[in-house]
Amino acid sequence: MSATVRKLQPVSSLNASGTRPMVGIEKVTMAFGDFVAVENVNLAVGDGEFLAIVGPTGCGKSTILNAIAGLLKPAVGAVSIDGATVSGVQNDIGYLFQQDALLPWKTAFENVELGLMFRRVGAAERRDKAMAWLEKVGLKGFEGRYPHQLSGGQRKRVQMAQALITEPKVILMDEPFSALDIHTRHLMQNELLRLWQEDRRAVVMITHDLEEAIALGDRVVVLAAGPKSHIIDSFPVDLERPRNVAEIKLDPRFLTLYRDIWASLRGEVEKSYARR
Ligand SMILES: Nc1ncnc2c1ncn2[C@@H]1O[C@H](COP(=O)(O)OP(=O)(O)OP(=O)(O)O)[C@@H](O)[C@H]1O
Ligand SMILES: [Mg+2]
């Protein structure tokens, strides 16, 4: 894995509709030595589409996300972002990790401006943008705090600002809210929807939480239990936006979707437990 190489070559993959996807995953197999985690995955995420991926633990969700980010290389197949093949770590993505990924020795402000520093943006512009983003995520006045002086939800807000400040083409999220209590999680989900709604970008979000997947996503994709995990189902979520995550769960269509997707996911979750 190289952190410096970033060669982009054009690829010609098109959607069924003939438009080019923002994220293209074509015949991708991911392996760790002899262990094949993911086999022959094909997936296209449109510009502005919010895609949620669900699947049993250990099936390869994070592995797929890391392939999009260019952190892992497919054994077979290719990933593209905006038509360019991914080879090496990507600049065009914002990555929201499950665990706290803030630098503990830097303040909220310094953490948020990091991505702009790496892109050699001048100090004045960095300051303006970082302060604006801290305000957008509800942390005005907290810019001088260190991560240990912030709550879990506040740290997540800093991470959100950190991931979005560079205006990435694609936002990757790996169970970003799973460590939060249920009330904070709802707040953060609504906050995320608000920010995304303002400036729609392609999102690929992984979650264990089927309610979260339906409440946030335009589409929910179900992965099979591993090894050799693959996509077994894809469900469009035809619920209006803007959405409120607490209210949407009361919509009868939400319940129907939940039932259908759970029927697909349940068997895989059971297989995954049986194999362990
Ligand atoms: N670096 C690695 N070396 C060897 N095996 C790995 C490595 N990373 C992941 N795996 C294996 O690949 C499979 C998929 O892992 P991955 O982390 O993608 O699963 P996941 O779906 O994200 O699981 P979870 O929901 O628990 O986060 C697992 O069986 C895991 O043990
Ligand atoms: Mg994972």
Side-chain angles (χ1 to χ4, degrees):
M1 185 172 79
S2 157
T4 50
V5 183
R6 182 169 171 261
K7 266 191 244 132
L8 300 176
Q9 288 132 18
V11 291
S12 60
S13 54
L14 297 176
N15 272 341
S17 60
T19 56
R20 197 168 66 189
M22 184 50 81
V23 179
I25 299 179
E26 278 187 280
K27 298 180 183 151
V28 162
T29 293
M30 303 293 297
F32 300 101
D34 291 340
F35 179 77
V36 178
V38 170
E39 190 171 67
N40 196 24
V41 167
N42 291 287
L43 195 59
V45 187
D47 193 13
E49 183 181 16
F50 197 127
L51 178 82
I53 300 180
V54 296
T57 178
C59 74
K61 301 182 295 296
S62 299
T63 302
I64 292 175
L65 223 54
N66 287 332
I68 300 172
L71 296 167
L72 291 173
K73 193 176 173 336
V76 182
V79 177
S80 63
I81 291 185
D82 202 10
T85 303
V86 169
S87 69
V89 176
Q90 292 298 292
N91 268 331
D92 293 336
I93 60 146
Y95 205 144
L96 213 64
F97 296 95
Q98 176 173 2
Q99 64 277 24
D100 269 343
L102 298 175
L103 298 178
W105 60 88
K106 288 196 180 286
T107 62
F109 172 82
E110 289 165 341
N111 268 289
V112 171
E113 69 166 354
L114 269 182
L116 298 180
M117 267 176 102
F118 294 143
R119 286 165 179 75
R120 303 188 186 285
V121 173
E125 188 181 341
R126 282 201 317 262
R127 184 173 174 77
D128 289 351
K129 284 197 169 159
M131 293 306 274
W133 267 101
L134 281 160
E135 187 168 354
K136 268 195 195 195
V137 297
L139 286 180
K140 192 169 184 206
F142 290 82
E143 51 275 359
R145 299 252 191 124
Y146 288 90
H148 76 274
Q149 299 170 320
L150 296 167
S151 71
Q154 289 170 332
R155 286 200 294 273
K156 213 36 99 178
R157 287 170 191 271
V158 177
Q159 269 180 268
M160 231 149 52
Q162 195 181 47
L164 298 177
I165 195 170
T166 59
E167 299 178 3
K169 286 182 177 169
V170 178
I171 302 163
L172 305 177
M173 295 189 275
D174 196 347
E175 305 199 36
F177 308 134
S178 60
L180 302 175
D181 69 82
I182 188 73
H183 306 295
T184 312
R185 196 183 305 172
H186 280 164
L187 274 176
M188 295 304 299
Q189 289 167 342
N190 277 330
E191 200 87 333
L192 172 66
L193 279 185
R194 182 180 60 79
L195 291 171
W196 176 77
Q197 196 84 34
E198 268 178 23
D199 185 15
R200 285 195 183 201
R201 287 164 199 273
V203 172
V204 182
M205 174 192 243
I206 284 170
T207 175
H208 272 116
D209 180 349
L210 188 46
E211 288 193 357
E212 177 173 80
I214 302 168
L216 301 185
D218 290 316
R219 186 158 53 115
V220 179
V221 161
V222 181
L223 285 178
K228 296 188 179 173
S229 179
H230 50 275
I231 294 173
I232 54 167
D233 259 321
S234 175
F235 297 85
V237 179
D238 54 353
L239 302 170
E240 296 84 26
R241 297 188 185 272
R243 298 180 190 161
N244 175 298
V245 292
E247 285 166 16
I248 201 101
K249 290 174 190 173
L250 305 174
D251 190 312
R253 288 171 302 162
F254 183 97
L255 298 174
T256 307
L257 269 168
Y258 189 97
R259 209 174 302 130
D260 292 349
I261 304 176
W262 178 238
S264 168
L265 178 59
R266 181 182 177 171
E268 300 307 314
V269 171
E270 283 167 358
K271 268 186 232 164
S272 155
Y273 275 102
R275 281 174 196 164
R276 281 187 292 150

